[in-house]
Amino acid sequence: TMASTVDADRIQEIQEQSSSQEAKIKTLANWVRKSKYTVFYTGAGVSTSAGIGDYRGPTGAWTMSRIRELQRLKARNVISPKDRAE
């Protein structure tokens, strides 16, 4: 799995001093205000470390939607595909 390929040293979160972070936030805000187009790239680690559930994890939105879809499809079939083959 993807998780088993992650180096623990690379996933350590670093918290900055408030004063340093505030200066960086102000700089970023100025860049965004002055830009014509702004694009932010984020990844799975950004949301999950902030407490936002992931999309494809065991309880993620996609996973739960897919489970419901498969349950609906299974409920429609009175005879399982295995039984039909015989």
Side-chain angles (χ1 to χ4, degrees):
T1 66
M2 183 71 123
S4 64
T5 64
V6 176
D7 180 359
D9 293 331
R10 293 176 51 207
I11 62 169
Q12 179 183 3
E13 288 194 43
I14 300 169
Q15 293 188 356
E16 298 185 42
Q17 297 293 325
S18 295
S19 58
S20 172
Q21 191 175 25
E22 186 67 30
K24 289 179 180 182
I25 291 169
K26 286 180 180 180
T27 299
L28 176 61
N30 284 329
W31 290 345
V32 171
R33 274 191 226 100
K34 292 177 183 178
S35 70
K36 186 173 181 179
Y37 302 102
T38 303
V39 177
F40 290 95
Y41 291 97
T42 66
V46 174
S47 59
T48 54
S49 67
I52 300 169
D54 63 8
Y55 189 65
R56 290 187 183 258
T59 60
W62 181 87
T63 304
M64 300 309 288
S65 175
R66 184 68 176 139
I67 289 170
R68 285 189 300 273
E69 178 184 353
L70 292 172
Q71 287 172 336
R72 280 192 303 270
L73 291 172
K74 185 178 178 183
R76 286 185 195 165
N77 292 324
V78 178
I79 301 173
S80 73
K82 178 184 168 195
D83 292 335
R84 283 186 214 155
E86 292 176 357

